[in-house]
Structure formats: C-alpha cells, structure tokens
C-alpha cells in the first residue's frame, strides 16, 4: 500500500514539475522569438522592395492566423 502512495505522489510531483518547466521554457522562447505582428510584416515588405499597403498586410495576417489553426 505504501508503494502505491509513493508512486502516486511521485507521479503527481513529476506532472506538476513538468508543467511549470514547460511553461517557463515557452515564456523564454516567446521572449526571444516574438510572434509576427503587422509592424514586422510592413518592415519585411519594405525590405523586399514592396510598398506595404493595409489591405495586403491584413490579408497576410489573416492567412497566417488561419494556417496556425
């Protein structure tokens, strides 16, 4: 009976520890690599020699959001 309680306690501690570790790693990842926003798209288009207009920016944002789902 004691073995079962120790096993369950260890399993719960592992799940909780894994959750918080994964959460911290995702926070660090998004801090280093923020998701693309409209301003980044404008900058990329300008660097490629295209004139960024609002309709094209919104279309690209919609297509990226649709691709993420």
């Amino acid at each position: 009976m004691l073995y079962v309680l120790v096993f369950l306690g260890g399993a719960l501690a592992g799940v909780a520890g894994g959750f918080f570790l994964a959460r911290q790693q995702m926070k660090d990842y998004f801090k280093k690599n923020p998701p693309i926003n409209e301003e980044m798209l404008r900058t990329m288009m300008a660097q490629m020699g295209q004139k960024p207009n609002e309709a094209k920016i919104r279309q690209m944002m919609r297509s990226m959001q649709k691709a993420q789902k």
Side-chain angles (χ1 to χ4, degrees), residues 5-44:
L5 291 177
V6 170
F7 176 77
L8 289 176
L12 288 175
V15 167
F19 170 77
F20 288 111
L21 180 66
R23 182 175 164 224
Q24 184 62 39
Q25 286 181 340
M26 288 304 293
K27 282 184 179 181
D28 291 342
Y29 175 80
F30 281 125
K31 191 179 290 183
K32 292 176 187 173
N33 304 307
I36 293 179
N37 59 18
E38 291 180 9
E39 189 60 36
M40 288 181 179
L41 282 177
R42 284 186 186 92
T43 304
M44 288 188 324

Side-chain angles (χ1 to χ4, degrees), residues 45-67:
M45 289 178 72
Q47 287 176 347
M48 291 186 296
Q50 298 179 9
K51 184 175 180 183
N53 60 6
E54 198 62 30
K56 185 71 171 174
I57 297 287
R58 298 230 185 258
Q59 178 187 6
M60 290 173 71
M61 286 298 292
R62 276 194 309 269
S63 67
M64 286 192 314
Q65 288 172 351
K66 190 180 285 187

